[in-house]
Amino acid sequence: QVQLVESGGGLVQAGGSLRLSCAASGSIFTISHMGWYRQAAGKQRELVALITNAGNTNYADSAKGRFTISRDNARNTAYLQMNSLKPDDTAVYYCNAGVLTTSRSTYIGWGQGTQVTVSS
């Protein structure tokens, strides 16, 4: 079994910064991708940023230039540094990971979500 635990959300004023963390634990052999999604009230969940185990990244247009995704493979942890936050960034942010478990099965996991609220 694999668990993903996010942390780092909170309330911040527009223009401020937050850093989210996602720690994966459990029966992990290797992690292919790790990513951040968000879901605002009344909207569908959307991709924010993704990083592969090789360090290749992909960002939503709304995140480019403001957000940076990174990962520490030794700690099975991904980070999302969010700068110049806007009220439109307000959402629940979810961590996602593609895991090959120690039993060699594929697992796509989600964290429980962390709330990010940006006040104007």
Side-chain angles (χ1 to χ4, degrees), residues 1-4 24-31 76 99-102:
Q1 193 168 357
V2 176
Q3 298 83 37
L4 299 175
S25 62
S27 304
I28 299 169
F29 180 72
T30 187
I31 300 176
N76 290 330
V99 177
L100 184 64
T101 68
T102 52

Side-chain angles (χ1 to χ4, degrees), residues 81-120:
Q81 178 67 43
M82 303 186 294
N83 299 327
S84 303
L85 283 162
K86 306 174 183 179
D88 283 350
D89 295 317
T90 296
V92 178
Y93 284 70
Y94 296 91
C95 177
N96 171 269
V99 177
L100 184 64
T101 68
T102 52
S103 61
R104 300 304 189 268
S105 62
T106 301
Y107 173 82
I108 305 297
W110 292 93
Q112 80 285 359
T114 185
Q115 176 70 46
V116 171
T117 302
V118 184
S119 62
S120 58

Side-chain angles (χ1 to χ4, degrees), residues 9-75:
L11 173 64
V12 65
Q13 287 189 331
S17 298
L18 283 173
R19 187 190 194 213
L20 306 183
S21 299
C22 171
S25 62
S27 304
I28 299 169
F29 180 72
T30 187
I31 300 176
S32 58
H33 73 271
M34 296 188 80
W36 290 95
Y37 290 72
R38 68 185 182 188
Q39 187 166 16
K43 295 187 177 182
Q44 289 188 331
R45 191 173 297 189
E46 62 178 4
L47 174 69
V48 177
L50 191 74
I51 186 166
T52 69
N53 57 2
N56 298 312
T57 58
N58 185 37
Y59 294 93
D61 287 344
S62 60
K64 289 178 182 177
R66 299 188 300 127
F67 295 1
T68 302
I69 189 170
S70 61
R71 64 189 281 179
D72 184 336
N73 290 330
R75 292 182 168 83

